Amino acid sequence: MQFENRVPDQVEKDIEINGIKLHYEETGSGRPLLLMHGWGCDHTTVRSIAKVASRTHRVLNLDMPGFGQSPEPEEVWTVDNYTDLVESLIGKLDLRKPVLAGHSFGGRVAIQLASRRPDDIDSLILVDAAGIKPRRTFRYYRKVYTFKAMKHLANLFLGKEKAQRAIDRWRGKSGSSDYAGASPKMRAIMSRVVNLDLTSCLPAIKAPTLLVWGEADTATPLADAKKMERLIPDSGLVSFPGCGHYSFLDNPGQFAAVVSSFLNSRIQS
């Protein structure tokens, strides 16, 4: 998913961290703000957020490994690996007290990093963020156990290699569009990160936190945002009626006003 919304001072950059190439787009000046996109997207998806934030901040809009212009990791990563990389980027570029902003999967990384380094993060902006384990229905568990049974039978009758190809085809047809469109390695990574519950991390976040949500979001429901607001000590929630998982695209005007107000308040604090 790519969106062209260029601003005059955009600079595309690459940096190598522990042998990993990381691409990012830099805009604006001032205090640092790290912006992290959602799963299946890249930095162009959240470029409109970068445009708003770059009015007051130096924005580093990342392509997370496996997306955009950042190559896939060599191993099957977890959320910890993504968080480690962003933490290393902060150290390598000597970014003092950055703002962390994340949409969807990017919110997972922001939550984990803000809880890991509570005194080193200026503030947090979570946009339709992932991180709360979803409530599962009977239909979901039936699907999971059916898949496990099929996997066992495929390995038994087809052999390991043929079974794996059959499993990948079945997953691609029955899984989400994000899963179906991913490479085998990124599918494996998605399987490892999608169910990680970060609820226990939320009370450890000290940074002032803005939660921005679409009330019609079905991927990360508004109930998740309300739970985050209850558990993050210094947090506030703004929700937009009729907006979905990409609330920043569904209601760009109000989104820009809310985020600009929050960032300006942090500069003045």
Side-chain angles (χ1 to χ4, degrees), residues 174-247:
S174 63
S176 67
S177 58
D178 283 341
Y179 188 91
S183 70
K185 183 179 292 179
M186 295 308 293
R187 288 178 182 179
I189 292 174
M190 184 179 181
S191 296
R192 295 187 72 174
V193 306
V194 70
N195 289 319
L196 178 65
D197 190 2
L198 297 176
T199 300
S200 63
C201 295
L202 301 175
I205 296 173
K206 293 183 180 179
T209 300
L210 171 65
L211 302 159
V212 188
W213 237 262
E215 293 183 7
D217 189 342
T218 56
T220 54
L222 185 62
D224 292 0
K226 292 179 178 179
K227 187 171 186 177
M228 290 181 185
E229 185 183 28
R230 288 197 306 271
L231 294 177
I232 298 174
D234 185 5
S235 63
L237 170 63
V238 178
S239 63
F240 300 137
C243 294
H245 191 53
Y246 293 82
S247 59

Side-chain angles (χ1 to χ4, degrees), residues 94-114:
D94 194 25
L95 303 177
R96 306 293 179 90
K97 298 280 285 190
V99 178
L100 300 180
H103 170 246
S104 194
F105 171 72
R108 284 188 187 275
V109 178
I111 288 169
Q112 191 168 64
L113 185 52

Side-chain angles (χ1 to χ4, degrees), residues 7-197:
V7 293
D9 61 347
Q10 281 174 200
V11 180
E12 304 279 345
K13 295 185 177 183
D14 293 304
I15 189 171
E16 186 171 306
I17 301 174
N18 301 325
I20 299 164
K21 175 192 168 186
L22 184 68
H23 180 81
Y24 64 97
E25 185 175 79
E26 186 169 330
T27 55
S29 60
R31 297 182 183 180
L33 182 150
L34 291 174
L35 177 57
M36 294 166 281
H37 59 78
W39 192 270
C41 302
D42 61 26
H43 76 274
T44 67
T45 313
V46 291
R47 190 175 270 164
S48 61
I49 300 177
K51 187 175 181 179
V52 172
S54 65
R55 297 170 188 166
T56 53
H57 286 70
R58 173 193 174 193
V59 179
L60 283 72
N61 186 3
L62 311 183
D63 272 348
M64 304 295 272
F67 304 98
Q69 298 180 52
S70 295
E72 293 182 3
E74 292 186 3
E75 306 295 332
V76 177
W77 273 20
T78 65
V79 177
D80 282 325
N81 295 121
Y82 282 98
T83 305
D84 290 344
L85 182 68
V86 176
E87 188 172 12
S88 296
L89 174 68
I90 291 172
K92 187 161 186 174
L93 296 181
D94 194 25
L95 303 177
R96 306 293 179 90
K97 298 280 285 190
V99 178
L100 300 180
H103 170 246
S104 194
F105 171 72
R108 284 188 187 275
V109 178
I111 288 169
Q112 191 168 64
L113 185 52
S115 65
R116 182 188 291 183
R117 299 181 60 171
D119 297 318
D120 298 327
I121 303 303
D122 174 84
S123 51
L124 196 59
I125 301 174
L126 300 176
V127 184
D128 301 294
I132 303 297
K133 188 173 182 179
R135 294 178 180 177
R136 300 304 191 185
T137 63
F138 171 77
R139 182 180 178 184
Y140 168 83
Y141 286 109
R142 182 178 63 185
K143 183 177 178 180
V144 168
Y145 288 116
T146 298
F147 169 74
K148 288 183 177 180
M150 289 179 63
K151 184 176 180 180
H152 174 74
L153 291 173
N155 282 316
L156 187 63
F157 291 106
L158 298 178
K160 187 175 181 180
E161 290 186 7
K162 288 184 179 179
Q164 189 59 54
R165 289 195 294 269
I167 290 164
D168 286 340
R169 285 196 300 271
W170 187 82
R171 275 177 163 168
K173 291 178 181 178
S174 63
S176 67
S177 58
D178 283 341
Y179 188 91
S183 70
K185 183 179 292 179
M186 295 308 293
R187 288 178 182 179
I189 292 174
M190 184 179 181
S191 296
R192 295 187 72 174
V193 306
V194 70
N195 289 319
L196 178 65
D197 190 2

